[in-house]
Amino acid sequence: MPLLHALSAELRSLGGIVVEDARVVGVGWAGLRSTVGVRTNRGEIIAGTVVLATGTPILDRGGFFSRLRAQRSYVGTFDVGDRAPAGMYLAADSPTVSLRYVRRPGADDEPERRVLMVGGFGHEVARGGSERSHVQELFAWTRRNYPDAVLENRWSAQDYSSIDELPYVGPLLPGESRIQVATGFAKWGMTNGVAAALAISEQLLGTGDTWADTLRTWRPSELRALPTAAKTNAQVGLHMTRGWTRVVLSGKSEPGEGEGVVFRRGLRPVGRCTVDGQTSTVSPICTHLYGILDWNDAEKSWDCSLHGSRFTASGQVIEGPATEALGQV
Ligand SMILES: Cc1cc2nc3c(=O)[nH]c(=O)nc-3n(C[C@H](O)[C@H](O)[C@H](O)COP(=O)(O)OP(=O)(O)OC[C@H]3O[C@@H](n4cnc5c(N)ncnc54)[C@H](O)[C@@H]3O)c2cc1C
Ligand code: FES
């Protein structure tokens, strides 16, 4: 948060404007392709150049969704007295676990405390079985290593990895610099995001062309990763087939509290979930490229195993390449 505050203060001091709570639903050419129009749920903006830094790009042009893997990981913070580690550690074995401490301001006159933060237990979005089981794994690991740990908060998040492991930073399409993307940070976006910003500003301002070429979208090194791309897309195909087979074979249609089920009504797939006693029914077909959604039992959301789009229990977009809410049935 201090980093974000500093960045937004600097942007504003240079005359920039930060607009929050607005969702971009489309980006396209305007003014005989001399400018770019950004359509949001709060109106349209015309820009000379647009940088899509939306996690995975929300535009399908460029096909980045097929060159990225969406990965979720879990985090918990725990009170462990004075046993929080003084440094930051990343496991060398599997599953990947990272440990660090977070400073918590004390209440009233109490001194600041150090809280243990445990992260990891990741998997590709909607592909690792029950999400709640990954949270339980994280808790169990923490209890084994810190028997007195008391949970304070827990959450999960997702990030995207490219097929050749380096971020994609540069034009959405070859030779077209008016729409830029920055993605594929592979859980190192706090640092790689800064590198991406430097690379894009260098390119737009024409101030140099140095190390940034390594990160460019449409780089030749990607050719070496073609076998990985083929494997990634074969898995997407497999998950597409599995999802639709699940609909055909479906049984249960009444979810218990915190559950979500996909079943068939006639020929139509139906998704139904119950959260805090409220049951919602949606079309479980992802609005990106029609994958069948899975219920995320940790975050109570509908998640897509194809390219990582996520939707709330009632079908609103949370994140991923999808820009439209789920249909009603
Ligand atoms: C568990 C975990 C631990 C991590 N630890 C580290 C670490 O130690 N060091 C490190 O460097 N990195 C770490 N990362 C990675 C880092 O957090 C990410 O790489 C980084 O946040 C990605 O930045 P981003 O800008 O691409 O995407 P995000 O941070 O996801 O930002 C994308 C933004 O775009 C907005 N958006 C999306 N779609 C739209 C739309 N249609 N309209 C308007 N806005 C939209 C979203 O609301 C969001 O605010 C970690 C990630 C995870 C999951
Ligand atoms: S995210 Fe692409 S089909 Fe769902």
Side-chain angles (χ1 to χ4, degrees):
M1 292 311 291
L3 171 70
L4 289 179
H5 284 309
L7 286 174
S8 63
E10 188 172 346
L11 180 78
R12 287 184 171 117
S13 74
L14 295 168
I17 299 170
V18 178
V19 178
E20 294 181 83
D21 299 321
R23 183 166 284 278
V24 176
V25 291
V27 179
W29 298 114
L32 297 172
R33 291 178 78 96
S34 58
T35 50
V36 186
V38 179
R39 226 162 9 95
T40 80
N41 58 350
R42 290 174 54 188
E44 187 156 345
I45 304 160
I46 302 293
T49 303
V50 167
V51 179
L52 283 179
T54 49
T56 184
I58 54 158
L59 290 185
D60 286 347
R61 302 199 294 279
F64 286 92
F65 63 85
S66 65
R67 293 187 275 156
L68 291 166
R69 280 169 295 159
Q71 291 161 326
R72 281 201 85 67
S73 351
Y74 301 84
V75 192
T77 49
F78 300 86
D79 183 353
V80 289
D82 57 5
R83 291 191 60 215
M88 192 168 128
Y89 301 88
L90 188 63
D93 55 357
S94 186
T96 305
V97 185
S98 79
L99 284 190
R100 64 191 81 177
Y101 69 86
V102 200
R103 290 203 180 92
R104 280 277 157 84
D108 301 326
D109 291 339
E110 286 172 21
E112 178 182 273
R113 341 181 257 131
R114 280 185 179 188
V115 173
L116 169 71
M117 181 154 127
V118 182
F121 301 90
H123 58 84
E124 294 207 22
V125 173
R127 295 193 192 176
S130 157
E131 284 76 6
R132 206 162 39 193
S133 72
H134 296 277
V135 177
Q136 297 303 342
E137 246 187 287
L138 184 147
F139 290 170
W141 186 95
T142 308
R143 268 196 304 272
R144 264 198 312 281
N145 292 283
Y146 292 88
D148 301 329
V150 178
L151 176 72
E152 295 209 341
N153 300 95
R154 73 130 183 112
W155 66 98
S156 67
Q158 75 190 41
D159 202 19
Y160 301 82
S161 297
S162 74
I163 51 170
D164 69 354
E165 306 292 337
L166 281 174
Y168 295 123
V169 180
L172 179 73
L173 289 169
E176 178 46 74
S177 60
R178 288 194 183 276
I179 305 179
Q180 303 266 332
V181 297
T183 185
F185 295 139
K187 300 191 193 130
W188 291 105
M190 301 289 286
T191 40
N192 276 329
V194 177
L198 291 172
I200 289 177
S201 57
E202 261 192 5
Q203 196 188 24
L204 297 183
L205 301 172
T207 53
D209 198 19
T210 50
W211 51 270
D213 270 351
T214 317
L215 308 183
R216 287 272 179 266
T217 46
W218 311 104
R219 53 192 173 239
S221 64
E222 258 204 289
L223 292 175
R224 285 200 294 275
L226 280 180
T228 318
K231 194 171 154 206
T232 303
N233 286 296
Q235 282 170 351
V236 166
L238 187 71
H239 279 272
M240 179 67 123
T241 313
R242 262 194 204 152
W244 283 92
T245 310
R246 204 158 36 90
V247 173
V248 174
L249 302 176
S250 63
K252 189 172 173 183
S253 61
E254 294 306 324
E257 175 58 39
E259 284 180 353
V261 292
V262 172
F263 60 97
R264 193 163 47 88
R265 189 187 284 154
L267 288 177
R268 281 182 116 179
V270 178
R272 184 172 288 156
C273 61
T274 305
V275 178
D276 297 333
Q278 191 172 340
T279 298
S280 316
T281 304
V282 292
S283 161
I285 304 176
C286 179
T287 53
H288 177 229
L289 289 176
Y290 316 118
I292 292 290
L293 302 170
D294 277 81
W295 180 246
N296 177 332
D297 58 1
E299 300 297 343
K300 314 286 182 271
S301 59
W302 292 107
D303 295 5
C304 184
S305 61
L306 270 52
H307 315 109
S309 289
R310 297 182 58 237
F311 303 84
T312 62
S314 61
Q316 300 307 308
V317 178
I318 301 175
E319 63 188 316
T323 52
E324 280 175 38
L326 297 179
Q328 297 303 314
V329 286

